[in-house]
Amino acid sequence: MHSTHPPHLILFDGVCNVCSGAVQFVIKRDPNGQMMFASLQSDTGQRILKENGLPLDEFNSFIYIEKGTLYTKSTGILKAARHLKGIYRWSYFLLVIPRPIRDWFYQVIAKNRYKWFGQKTSCMMPTPDIQKRFLS
């Protein structure tokens, strides 16, 4: 990992409606603004994918980087959720479910997300008040 990454970084598919909705969900439940974001399609996202030997053109994984450690799929979601306010932080305890089971459910949603929820023609544009939380 690159040492210049913020301590809490979420990489997401910028054209996915589910992913963009998840980012908005996190922003509303992260009152201290500790989570930072970058789309997988951005220069930052592409650089991080390359640094970690991940495909540069497959955007089907939620990636959460916490203090230099990269987590993907269901583990990434649950590790990030523990930093949210409210009941959502308790979903972290779902990590007790074996990863293959959690990731199977994750993969079903990831595989069908465009069909079920649609996609955007371009990455979401954050409002000016949250723009500083997005890396390009």
Side-chain angles (χ1 to χ4, degrees), residues 35 44-45 66 95 104 124 126:
M35 296 287 183
T44 298
E66 182 177 35
L95 283 171
W104 181 85
M124 69 176 268

Side-chain angles (χ1 to χ4, degrees), residues 9-62:
L9 177 61
I10 292 175
L11 300 179
F12 66 100
D13 179 351
V15 299
C16 169
N17 284 333
V18 173
C19 304
S20 294
V23 167
Q24 293 300 320
F25 181 89
V26 170
I27 288 169
K28 289 177 184 173
R29 288 152 186 89
D30 179 24
N32 298 329
Q34 63 180 334
M35 296 287 183
M36 300 292 287
F37 306 92
S39 75
L40 291 162
Q41 294 90 340
S42 70
D43 291 342
T44 298
Q46 289 288 292
R47 182 175 38 79
I48 292 170
L49 291 173
K50 187 176 182 179
E51 287 173 359
N52 288 279
L54 297 170
L56 301 178
D57 58 353
E58 293 178 21
F59 307 121
N60 63 358
S61 185
F62 177 96

Side-chain angles (χ1 to χ4, degrees), residues 17 20 22 36-37 61 63 70-72 131 134:
N17 284 333
S20 294
M36 300 292 287
F37 306 92
S61 185
I63 297 175
L70 187 140
Y71 302 98
T72 62
Q131 176 68 42
F134 286 79

